[in-house]
Amino acid sequence: MADRRLHEFVRALRGAQIRISPVEVEEALRAAALIGYHPREQFRETLAQTLVKAQVDRARFDQCFDDFFHFESIEADGDEDAEVGALPDTTDVDTGDLSEATANLIAQSPEQLTQSLAEAAAQQDFTAMQVITQQGLFARQLVMNMGMGSVDDDILRLAASPRRRDQNRAEQLRDWRQQVRERASQYVRRQFELHGRAHGRALREHSMRAAPFRELREYHQIQDLVRRMARRLAALHQRRQKRAKRGAMDARRTLVSSLRYNAVPVQLHWRERRKLKSKVYVICDVSGSVREAARFLLQFLYAMNDVLPQVRSFAFAARFDEVTDDFRQYNPEVAVGRILDRVSGSGTDYGYMFESFQEVCGREIDRRSTVIILGDARNNDLPAGEEHLAEISRRARQVFWLNPEHPSRWNSGDAIMAKYEPYCRAARRCASLNDLSRFVDYLLRALNNSQ
């Protein structure tokens, strides 16, 4: 039971966005078994020492601890929290012909009744609560676990009696039952705040990841989500790099060194891989139809400085310009605003863009270069300039094209994707954060394999 409660507490902490590894959970379980659960402050500090890694998380840990171990606090302190509200004293209720279960319940002091409520709560799994409408069901289960079903039966029986005295007792029992229910509802609401928020946050993040870029401005937490997705991908890529850096086993050197240990391969030798620094060039169409996708692509890539240190970015619409320094000097919101002021306008010209990019970076493009183009390929019936893209593709290691439109529209109207696609290693749809995350993961794997 104690281990289950601690696991539920860890889930509540994770729901409060405190990162906890399985190893840390095991350490917390062992520490709690060693130190014990009382006194309360010693138990709190024990868990904090094993589960909290950053000082900024301590306040959220303390709040979760107070909310989660609320009943345990009352039992230990022997004092009711005034904020929660005291349970009624039922010493004046006549228990004459009531059932044994009901008589036992109403004979309890408020402190004993609180302990009964805590014991009933310990039997329930409140982590299953996902939506606010489940609170009533869980509160009902909580009071039934206390044995309140017998109270309901006695109230019905007394209310049906023709005697005035029985009807008054039924009214007293209703008042008492209502106060117990309110107390149970308060506890369930607190548990929903702990566990339901995590489900709600996960649901919101799932919606944001799948929503089209143009709808993401409605979400206030979107910048934080982009940063967390980028950090997660960067950490995953760094682990892959660490494994890949070791290379394949050098069987010859391993066998030779084993001769010193009676042919036992005590020391393993690995072939070190020659590491080439990749260069990434990002060209974004920032005209009205593609602007939001470009904003998130650039934010995503610049949030991954640890694994993509050499990114040069360019934007174009009516004009073409390099925007690398804008993202290095300003936060993403300010940088995007400055870029749009500088290059936005009507008349997107992809032919002019490819020619300009070739003039600026043509000599730098080599087999270490990856070029990413984000645009809808709608060229306003202007010359396509595919010969410039062909030359870029010939010199670079790989060219990727991201198009926010559905593939069925890639060649409709003034869109000329068919002219550019043959010169790209891959052309993918990129209309949401999920698409963007999958592409960046694919890009990092491609860069890792090219090293």
Side-chain angles (χ1 to χ4, degrees), residues 6-217:
L6 278 180
H7 279 292
E8 291 174 1
F9 177 57
V10 169
R11 290 186 63 176
L13 291 175
R14 286 171 173 159
Q17 297 188 319
I18 298 177
R19 297 181 62 187
I20 300 171
S21 69
V23 174
E24 290 165 341
V25 175
E26 290 299 320
E27 290 177 353
L29 290 173
R30 287 199 296 270
L34 183 64
I35 301 298
Y37 296 83
H38 296 289
R40 176 185 171 84
E41 286 308 312
Q42 179 177 292
F43 178 52
R44 179 203 296 267
E45 289 304 317
T46 301
L47 293 184
Q49 290 295 323
T50 52
L51 298 177
V52 179
K53 295 182 286 293
Q55 188 61 35
V56 294
D57 293 336
R58 182 56 195 257
R60 278 178 287 171
F61 170 86
D62 287 336
Q63 184 63 50
C64 280
F65 185 91
D66 290 336
D67 291 342
F68 189 87
F69 294 105
H70 175 72
F71 279 132
E72 286 81 351
S73 171
I74 292 173
E75 291 174 38
D77 299 340
D79 187 23
E80 286 277 349
D81 187 347
E83 181 186 346
V84 176
L87 285 166
D89 188 353
T90 54
T91 53
D92 60 337
V93 176
D94 180 9
T95 59
D97 57 347
L98 297 178
S99 65
E100 182 180 355
T102 302
N104 289 336
L105 276 173
I106 64 175
Q108 294 180 0
S109 66
E111 292 77 14
Q112 291 172 328
L113 204 53
T114 298
Q115 186 167 350
S116 297
L117 192 59
E119 291 171 357
Q123 299 173 18
Q124 280 187 254
D125 180 11
F126 291 97
T127 61
M129 273 195 298
Q130 298 188 10
V131 293
I132 195 169
T133 51
Q134 290 178 291
Q135 290 185 49
L137 174 62
F138 276 78
R140 173 71 178 168
Q141 290 176 345
L142 180 55
V143 294
M144 295 306 287
N145 287 343
M146 293 176 63
M148 294 290 284
S150 62
V151 178
D152 294 340
D153 294 338
D154 283 327
I155 290 175
L156 288 174
R157 181 175 56 79
L158 293 172
S161 171
R163 295 191 301 175
R164 183 67 181 172
R165 176 174 170 273
D166 288 342
Q167 292 179 1
N168 289 338
R169 292 170 63 203
E171 193 63 29
Q172 282 182 303
L173 283 176
R174 281 198 192 95
D175 292 341
W176 176 81
R177 181 184 63 180
Q178 183 60 28
Q179 293 181 62
V180 175
R181 284 178 175 176
E182 289 176 1
R183 182 63 178 276
S185 297
Q186 286 179 328
Y187 180 77
V188 171
R189 276 197 295 275
R190 185 174 288 108
Q191 294 299 310
F192 177 75
E193 285 294 310
L194 281 169
H195 303 293
R197 281 183 306 191
H199 292 292
R201 188 179 300 110
L203 190 61
R204 280 196 302 277
E205 288 191 2
H206 179 77
S207 300
M208 285 191 286
R209 284 166 176 263
F213 287 126
R214 62 179 178 277
E215 297 178 6
L216 290 181
R217 279 187 167 276

Side-chain angles (χ1 to χ4, degrees), residues 166-375:
D166 288 342
Q167 292 179 1
N168 289 338
R169 292 170 63 203
E171 193 63 29
Q172 282 182 303
L173 283 176
R174 281 198 192 95
D175 292 341
W176 176 81
R177 181 184 63 180
Q178 183 60 28
Q179 293 181 62
V180 175
R181 284 178 175 176
E182 289 176 1
R183 182 63 178 276
S185 297
Q186 286 179 328
Y187 180 77
V188 171
R189 276 197 295 275
R190 185 174 288 108
Q191 294 299 310
F192 177 75
E193 285 294 310
L194 281 169
H195 303 293
R197 281 183 306 191
H199 292 292
R201 188 179 300 110
L203 190 61
R204 280 196 302 277
E205 288 191 2
H206 179 77
S207 300
M208 285 191 286
R209 284 166 176 263
F213 287 126
R214 62 179 178 277
E215 297 178 6
L216 290 181
R217 279 187 167 276
E218 300 173 7
Y219 297 95
H220 298 295
Q221 310 90 344
I222 190 61
Q223 302 301 333
D224 182 54
L225 175 61
V226 171
R227 282 193 292 272
R228 280 191 285 116
M229 290 174 70
R231 283 202 301 269
R232 194 174 302 133
L233 265 181
L236 177 63
H237 180 64
Q238 284 171 334
R239 288 197 294 272
R240 287 183 193 141
Q241 279 186 317
K242 190 175 179 181
R243 288 196 298 267
K245 186 179 178 182
R246 195 170 57 182
M249 180 182 290
D250 188 334
R252 188 185 65 81
R253 289 180 61 199
T254 301
L255 286 174
V256 169
S257 66
S258 69
L259 296 178
R260 289 182 291 174
Y261 307 101
N262 295 326
V264 176
V266 174
Q267 187 176 9
L268 301 180
H269 294 272
W270 305 88
R271 290 195 184 96
E272 293 186 1
R273 299 181 60 180
R274 189 165 60 93
K275 188 175 182 180
L276 299 176
K277 290 186 177 179
S278 301
K279 297 182 289 186
V280 177
Y281 298 85
V282 186
I283 308 171
C284 295
D285 180 353
V286 292
S287 60
S289 56
V290 197
R291 181 177 303 172
E292 294 304 319
R295 177 196 305 270
F296 287 107
L297 172 63
L298 290 173
Q299 288 181 11
F300 214 103
L301 293 179
Y302 278 94
M304 305 182 70
N305 282 334
D306 293 342
V307 292
L308 289 175
Q310 295 191 57
V311 177
R312 288 186 68 181
S313 50
F314 302 83
F316 74 99
R319 290 176 292 279
F320 175 84
D321 198 4
E322 181 168 1
V323 298
T324 307
D325 290 339
D326 293 87
F327 277 89
R328 287 177 180 165
Q329 296 176 11
Y330 306 98
N331 68 53
E333 284 297 316
V334 175
V336 169
R338 288 173 56 87
I339 293 165
L340 294 180
D341 289 343
R342 205 159 68 234
V343 303
S344 64
S346 60
T348 307
D349 186 346
Y350 279 78
Y352 163 72
M353 178 271 288
F354 286 129
E355 184 178 1
S356 301
F357 178 72
Q358 201 175 1
E359 288 177 0
V360 174
C361 301
R363 295 181 179 177
E364 299 177 14
I365 301 294
D366 55 26
R367 302 305 294 170
R368 295 180 298 156
S369 305
T370 295
V371 180
I372 303 168
I373 303 161
L374 174 68

